[in-house]
Amino acid sequence: MPELSERAQYLLKALTERYIREGQPVGSRTLARDAGLKLSPATIRNVISDLEEMGLVCSPHTSAGRVPTVLGYRLFVDTLLSVQPLEDSLVDDFKLSLGADTDAKDLAEIASKLLSDVTRMAGVVTLPRRDHAALQRVEFLPLSEQKVLAVLVIDDQEVRNCILQTERNYSASELQQYSSFLNEQFAGRELNEVRRRLVSELRETRENLNRMMATALEMADQVLGEAEQGSDYVLAGQTNLMEFEELCKVNTLRHLFEAFNEKRHILHLLDQCVENEGVQIFIGEESGYQMLDECSLVTAPYSVDGQVLGVLGVIGPTRMAYERVIPIVDATARILSAALNPKD
Amino acid sequence: MPELSERAQYLLKALTERYIREGQPVGSRTLARDAGLKLSPATIRNVISDLEEMGLVCSPHTSAGRVPTVLGYRLFVDTLLSVQPLEDSLVDDFKLSLGADTDAKDLAEIASKLLSDVTRMAGVVTLPRRDHAALQRVEFLPLSEQKVLAVLVIDDQEVRNCILQTERNYSASELQQYSSFLNEQFAGRELNEVRRRLVSELRETRENLNRMMATALEMADQVLGEAEQGSDYVLAGQTNLMEFEELCKVNTLRHLFEAFNEKRHILHLLDQCVENEGVQIFIGEESGYQMLDECSLVTAPYSVDGQVLGVLGVIGPTRMAYERVIPIVDATARILSAALNPKD
DNA sequence: TTTAGCACTCATTGAGTTGGAGTGCTAACA
DNA sequence: TGTTAGCACTCCAACTCAATGAGTGCTAAA
């Protein structure tokens, strides 16, 4: 990519900003008026023509103004953007809303709602991964004929339960034995470590023919398997996307909403953002998913104790106010991280 | 409403069926050919003209054919419809899919998916109300500083837990005392009865200054309050609705999808169907909700032990194949009922 | 009661027209 | 060499206009 003159950069910025604001292809005359430079439309045409050659802008048809391409947006976002600082009042609002002492899922829902409300686009938050969370305790309770209730206490905020189908009946005291055995062994360890060690221990105890331990371990294994509720996300404000001209073709919307329902693809995309520290942006086709061709995704990971637990973000048209959305997503990720941190 | 001649009825039926099939206003010529009656278009025009006077059909504009009105659909559905029996293979499929031994929520999700897949419209299933379900057991477990985990075993299939914030720490044995006290009192009783009795018992024990009982009751009260996860529903196949011409205005879709997200309205509507035994149908504006003006809703309640637990149904355009949807909804309700019944 | 005939209405389609916005190119200017 | 004015050109969007065709209502005859 050849170097871009100061002026060309400035004009690309002006053009992109104008287009984001107005949604209409912008022509040389408009730009001349708008940009504040003392240049005639003709001069501007020359510059813009260079930008076009570099693939940063294009015109939808011969006699229309120019529109940023994905590449143009990319350059704009990476090097030209002047990010606005966020109003304190908004941050306070967010902190308040995410301050309630509820479980992770509720927080995710609140956060996605906040994101969608403030940006008037769609907000998305993946549920926190719990691989690295510490297992606090396991409890087994007899339920009924050949059914045992297993309760998995992960931390103060999250408890999962699942119902095990067993081969025979177990008494409460027997189950108590199992759980205290397991707690001795595994309490305080990370879930994925527990998972790993379960496998090896199982093999070992089977060899040793220790019936009681084996049963306990088998149960634990089953619980972890069940509780392994594959990663998931919550979405809010999908309908906001219907307000944007450029997405308002029924077919575009259908593909988009099908993807939202299907979840697989969106999840895969969001997973890619876990790696990256800080705000990450996919513009248009960059995502690699066709249904997002006319959309951009702005994400940021959230974490607890330096462990990234998930990702949140905003989905909207490529023509979105990045300079506003970016700080919002960034701040929300921080606030959510704080909310998830054990406060004591 | 004046009596309708045999012939008029027949023609209304033919017209409605044709319109449902083709989606185009049907004219007298078409109807003459289609209906199998040996009548000229002119004659048919006379009859149709009567139907129009009665408000059963109308024409979108002067020189178009006729389309059934809501009233026309109503008459069609109530008295003219020939419901097709369902293929056994489909019923078997449904039974298989709903046979798995999972919890109520999963079943509801499967059912709504089935409904939407088979009808190519949107399937909806309310989560089962648990007011009349028997409380099997309560357990309290100490979690951490001033936090107690309460587990509510409702029946073999459903367990709820919630985390209580308490004023001081409780030991495991103390909590054990509470839960066994509560289980003695309430196990086996219906949830709403438990709720009712809790209130009065609380008042009584407070007067008696029985500290221990009071605490136990207060905890139970809190649990029930928390677990009171207001009624809810699951929806599948919303995007199918985008395939229908008549709903494909972005605005219509937006209102519809907003209603789906909002849930309140749809729930209220579905609640009305609990009363009615068997299949109930809302056609177009009959629902009273504007966003459903161009939709119909076909529902049937499902129940266990004669207790209606919820409603399921299909949402689609008014122009839907009622004769097919009705038996599908009916059968699904039966199969879901069976699946929820304790099998032992 | 049914039918044929006819005049009439109205949505839809496609072709032709116009106006405006914007471009690219060229030649002149600083 | 960079900047500007002028001009021909392109294309979209909006509009008009006429033709088409599906369907109706009415009337009078079978």
Side-chain angles (χ1 to χ4, degrees), chain A residues 20-218:
Chain A
I20 286 174
R21 237 180 318 122
E22 309 284 341
Q24 295 296 326
V26 346
S28 53
R29 169 187 301 272
T30 322
L31 210 48
R33 245 187 288 108
D34 211 53
L37 294 178
K38 286 266 171 293
L39 289 176
S40 80
T43 314
I44 291 188
R45 277 205 286 280
N46 289 326
V47 181
I48 298 289
S49 170
D50 294 347
L51 291 179
E52 183 158 38
E53 221 150 83
M54 283 185 258
L56 296 170
V57 299
C58 66
S59 59
H61 58 84
T62 336
S63 74
R66 300 313 210 294
V67 163
T69 60
V70 169
L71 223 63
Y73 275 123
R74 176 89 289 173
L75 188 68
F76 173 74
V77 163
D78 285 346
T79 73
L80 306 175
L81 198 63
S82 20
V83 175
Q84 299 177 345
L86 224 47
E87 315 90 85
D88 286 345
S89 63
L90 194 69
V91 175
D92 291 345
D93 271 8
F94 274 42
K95 279 186 181 156
L96 212 64
S97 302
L98 288 170
D101 188 36
T102 43
D103 67 12
K105 176 148 197 212
D106 285 347
L107 284 175
E109 261 156 22
I110 295 169
S112 66
K113 186 82 170 53
L114 286 174
L115 284 170
S116 75
D117 281 352
V118 168
T119 61
R120 311 255 64 215
M121 300 189 266
V124 59
V125 182
T126 64
L127 295 186
R129 288 165 49 192
R130 288 303 186 177
D131 294 358
H132 290 279
L135 172 67
Q136 207 185 65
R137 195 152 95 247
V138 188
E139 294 289 340
F140 295 115
L141 300 170
L143 246 193
S144 66
E145 291 290 304
Q146 306 191 5
K147 282 192 179 175
V148 170
L149 170 65
V151 180
L152 213 64
V153 183
I154 294 177
D155 59 29
D156 288 13
Q157 315 201 43
E158 199 165 346
V159 177
R160 289 188 200 148
N161 45 238
C162 75
I163 296 167
L164 301 178
Q165 193 74 38
T166 56
E167 310 218 320
R168 64 173 175 91
N169 292 338
Y170 292 88
S171 71
S173 63
E174 195 175 1
L175 290 174
Q176 188 99 47
Q177 264 194 309
Y178 293 166
S179 50
S180 48
F181 163 68
L182 288 171
N183 285 326
E184 247 166 61
Q185 291 267 310
F186 298 112
R189 301 195 184 276
E190 287 189 2
L191 280 187
N192 55 1
E193 191 196 339
V194 173
R195 226 184 311 263
R196 236 179 306 118
R197 285 193 37 192
L198 263 179
V199 180
S200 59
E201 298 254 340
L202 251 176
R203 198 170 328 112
E204 226 172 278
T205 49
R206 279 215 183 98
E207 279 164 11
N208 294 347
L209 295 174
N210 186 329
R211 196 76 209 97
M212 174 275 209
M213 275 171 66
T215 313
L217 290 169
E218 265 162 22

Side-chain angles (χ1 to χ4, degrees), chain A residues 137 142-143 153 156 161 163 250, chain B residues 137 142-144 153 156 161 248:
Chain A
R137 195 152 95 247
L143 246 193
V153 183
D156 288 13
N161 45 238
I163 296 167
V250 174
Chain B
R137 196 150 96 249
L143 246 193
S144 66
V153 183
D156 288 11
N161 45 236
C248 265

Side-chain angles (χ1 to χ4, degrees), chain A residues 13-25:
Chain A
K13 182 172 181 221
L15 185 147
T16 308
E17 279 170 352
R18 168 102 195 181
Y19 179 65
I20 286 174
R21 237 180 318 122
E22 309 284 341
Q24 295 296 326

Side-chain angles (χ1 to χ4, degrees), chain A residues 153-332:
Chain A
V153 183
I154 294 177
D155 59 29
D156 288 13
Q157 315 201 43
E158 199 165 346
V159 177
R160 289 188 200 148
N161 45 238
C162 75
I163 296 167
L164 301 178
Q165 193 74 38
T166 56
E167 310 218 320
R168 64 173 175 91
N169 292 338
Y170 292 88
S171 71
S173 63
E174 195 175 1
L175 290 174
Q176 188 99 47
Q177 264 194 309
Y178 293 166
S179 50
S180 48
F181 163 68
L182 288 171
N183 285 326
E184 247 166 61
Q185 291 267 310
F186 298 112
R189 301 195 184 276
E190 287 189 2
L191 280 187
N192 55 1
E193 191 196 339
V194 173
R195 226 184 311 263
R196 236 179 306 118
R197 285 193 37 192
L198 263 179
V199 180
S200 59
E201 298 254 340
L202 251 176
R203 198 170 328 112
E204 226 172 278
T205 49
R206 279 215 183 98
E207 279 164 11
N208 294 347
L209 295 174
N210 186 329
R211 196 76 209 97
M212 174 275 209
M213 275 171 66
T215 313
L217 290 169
E218 265 162 22
M219 278 188 181
D221 192 42
Q222 219 180 323
V223 178
L224 275 172
E226 294 266 327
E228 180 69 72
Q229 51 169 45
S231 52
D232 195 5
Y233 65 81
V234 292
L235 190 64
Q238 303 99 297
T239 49
N240 285 343
L241 299 181
M242 295 189 181
E243 307 262 6
F244 297 100
E245 291 282 350
E246 54 261 62
L247 302 179
C248 264
K249 290 148 280 177
V250 174
N251 249 300
T252 311
L253 284 176
R254 209 182 71 222
H255 291 311
L256 201 53
F257 277 65
E258 270 164 9
F260 289 158
N261 274 348
E262 184 68 39
K263 293 204 169 182
R264 239 168 355 105
H265 297 125
I266 304 279
L267 265 175
H268 183 249
L269 189 57
L270 290 172
D271 269 348
Q272 294 172 38
C273 307
V274 172
E275 316 296 327
N276 229 290
E277 193 167 332
V279 174
Q280 171 143 4
I281 303 178
F282 288 98
I283 298 166
E285 301 120 43
E286 287 180 352
S287 68
Y289 289 102
Q290 206 195 308
M291 63 276 177
L292 288 176
D293 271 4
E294 299 172 74
C295 292
S296 284
L297 171 64
V298 179
T299 67
Y302 65 86
S303 50
V304 168
D305 290 336
Q307 279 288 351
V308 173
L309 297 192
V311 176
L312 56 74
V314 166
I315 298 174
T318 36
R319 183 174 86 74
M320 71 164 73
Y322 295 96
E323 80 281 359
R324 179 150 178 78
V325 172
I326 291 172
I328 289 176
V329 168
D330 188 46
T332 310

